[in-house]
Amino acid sequence: DLAHYSHYMQKEIFEQGSAVANTLEERITNNCMLEIETFGEEAVEIFNQVEAVRILACGTSYYAGMVARIWLESMGIPCEAEIASEFRYRNPVVPDNALVVAISQSGETADTLAALNQASKLGYKYSLAICNSPFSQMTRVTDLVLHTRAGPEISVASTKAFTTQLVSLLLLMIALAKRRGMTVDEEAEIVSELRALPSRIEALLQMDKDIAELSDYFADKEHTLFLGRGTHYPIALEGALKLKEISYIHADAYPAGELKHGPLALIDAKTPTIAVAPNNHLLAKLKANIQEVRARGGKLFVFSDSGTPIKSDELIEVIEVVKSGPFTSPIIHTIALQLLAYHVAVTKGNDVDNPRNLAKSVTVE
Ligand code: F6R
């Protein structure tokens, strides 16, 4: 039932405020995360033992894992994130007391299921599925399950599943970080950021018209480059994946520091760059990268946090997104890029919900 929306993707983008609120319901209080309500009673003993984490997933779900890896590391938890189809054919060294975390919207992705199987054969001790489909295969094979509660996702391009995965991964981060000295004040800080998230998402969605206006510029382009740093590099990857899969415009994403090592050669007047530029400790670095692109005559669309000192000019168009905290900023920036991809695909007249050659659930290798 599409109600007043034109496509499922649009509907699912606009449902993200309530999807995130559902993900959090009865799992947080005013200032803390409720571990048993979130992960189940069995989780307490398992989390007490966990010394390292390995995240496995495909596509968009893998990008959620890449963000989480940075979060977990920043809390002193060794973590690696890997593409399931690569992991399943390798024999990596298994750390002691390691938790394998599979992330999947469908819970039926063949490579992710096979990677979980490989992980248990290799000796990973504990497993957790972060999954949106409550009765899927994946939820039956892991020790623990965290249901993302995004509701059914119909459009092939993943949107609300991704943002609720990130929220779920923040809950996991809190659980593990508390065992490594995270203070009650630090926990309260992150929880209050999470509580503010649904209304910040609603505020971001108000920018829909402004972002739609950019789509004409992109509709006749063949190539685009996305740049980001830190937790927002995976967001650049996700923005590029969304754009390519529904608009069929070639989109590459790079960590901005890699520009000089190759991709700068692609920049010309016909290849726009999209920079994900939150106001954090990496902003000065990213601004230098923006100037590198500008100096080569490349047009830039810079998604910055409102109030960030980056100026628009004839080559740089700054799009100020709603300011949020350090942990939820990747989620806010993602939604802006979802809207961009959506409107470009609509402008091009593409079948937004059913992009060519793709299936919603990839149950074969
Ligand atoms: C992209 C997209 C895919 C999925 C991937 C994994 O928009 O939807 O990249 O993220 O196929 O699917 P799940 O999460 O169901 O394992």
Side-chain angles (χ1 to χ4, degrees):
D1 173 22
L2 274 173
H4 57 286
Y5 294 106
S6 309
H7 302 94
Y8 281 103
M9 183 179 179
Q10 186 186 33
K11 176 171 179 272
E12 289 160 5
I13 289 172
F14 277 82
E15 277 170 358
Q16 288 176 108
S18 58
V20 163
N22 284 341
T23 308
L24 293 171
E25 194 172 323
E26 286 171 21
R27 290 172 172 169
I28 55 172
T29 65
N30 268 337
N31 43 25
C32 64
M33 190 269 303
L34 301 168
E35 184 167 300
I36 292 173
E37 287 80 349
T38 306
F39 296 97
E41 261 170 55
E42 324 81 270
V44 179
E45 247 328 283
I46 291 179
F47 289 164
N48 284 342
Q49 304 300 319
V50 169
E51 291 176 64
V53 174
R54 169 138 2 213
I55 300 175
L56 302 172
C58 300
T60 288
S61 298
Y62 167 65
Y63 299 147
M66 285 178 73
V67 177
R69 178 196 149 212
I70 298 173
W71 285 337
L72 291 176
E73 273 180 0
S74 75
M75 299 287 158
I77 302 146
C79 180
E80 291 188 72
E82 195 164 1
I83 291 181
S85 57
E86 286 295 313
F87 177 86
R88 66 179 287 194
Y89 297 116
R90 300 196 303 109
N91 286 307
V93 178
V94 183
D96 289 340
N97 294 315
L99 171 73
V100 58
V101 178
I103 309 173
S104 178
Q105 189 288 126
S106 62
E108 305 291 349
T109 302
D111 279 319
T112 310
L113 288 167
L116 269 175
N117 193 29
Q118 168 76 346
S120 96
K121 277 199 200 130
L122 286 169
Y124 276 85
K125 217 160 162 189
Y126 310 111
S127 59
L128 162 69
I130 296 183
C131 190
N132 196 45
S133 304
F135 307 110
S136 59
Q137 182 61 18
M138 203 167 294
T139 63
R140 289 190 287 255
V141 297
T142 54
D143 301 324
L144 305 173
V145 177
L146 177 52
H147 180 210
T148 47
R149 298 185 189 151
E153 196 180 62
I154 309 290
S155 183
V156 165
S158 186
T159 53
K160 61 179 181 169
F162 179 70
T163 45
T164 55
Q165 283 165 355
L166 287 172
V167 166
S168 302
L169 287 158
L170 280 172
L171 299 177
L172 176 65
M173 180 195 79
I174 295 172
L176 296 177
K178 278 168 84 168
R179 290 162 164 88
R180 301 195 170 228
M182 173 186 266
T183 65
V184 288
D185 285 350
E186 286 162 340
E187 179 180 2
E189 184 78 28
I190 300 167
V191 168
S192 88
E193 230 191 276
L194 284 169
R195 296 177 71 83
L197 184 57
S199 66
R200 284 178 177 156
I201 290 175
E202 298 306 337
L204 186 278
L205 290 168
Q206 300 292 312
M207 297 180 63
D208 184 46
K209 276 213 175 62
D210 302 330
I211 294 176
E213 279 171 13
L214 305 176
S215 63
D216 280 343
Y217 182 86
F218 285 91
D220 66 346
K221 298 294 178 291
E222 282 177 37
H223 306 283
T224 55
L225 186 64
F226 284 70
L227 298 176
R229 280 179 177 262
T231 47
H232 294 66
Y233 163 51
I235 302 312
L237 284 164
E238 170 60 4
L241 179 61
K242 282 298 86 98
L243 188 68
K244 79 182 89 167
E245 73 179 326
I246 61 170
S247 80
Y248 315 143
I249 294 172
H250 171 221
D252 247 351
Y254 275 92
E258 276 290 293
L259 260 183
K260 284 198 182 80
H261 300 284
L264 200 51
L266 290 173
I267 298 302
D268 61 19
K270 291 185 305 199
T271 306
T273 297
I274 294 98
V276 189
N279 193 5
N280 63 20
H281 66 294
L282 295 169
L283 183 66
K285 298 277 171 208
L286 191 72
K287 279 167 95 170
N289 302 129
I290 289 169
Q291 289 309 323
E292 287 165 5
V293 172
R294 193 185 180 288
R296 271 88 192 167
K299 171 99 179 158
L300 282 134
F301 294 85
V302 180
F303 287 80
S304 74
D305 292 342
S306 66
T308 305
I310 305 180
K311 280 204 200 76
S312 291
D313 62 24
E314 71 282 7
L315 281 178
I316 301 179
E317 178 148 354
V318 176
I319 301 102
E320 292 197 3
V321 307
V322 175
K323 201 174 157 23
S324 66
F327 289 100
T328 50
S329 166
I331 296 170
I332 293 292
H333 277 271
T334 296
I335 298 174
L337 298 181
Q338 292 169 351
L339 287 171
L340 178 66
Y342 172 75
H343 287 295
V344 174
V346 170
T347 302
K348 291 188 73 171
N350 293 352
D351 185 350
V352 175
D353 288 332
N354 297 290
R356 66 190 184 199
N357 313 339
L358 298 176
K360 181 67 183 161
S361 194
V362 186
T363 54
V364 292
E365 191 178 342

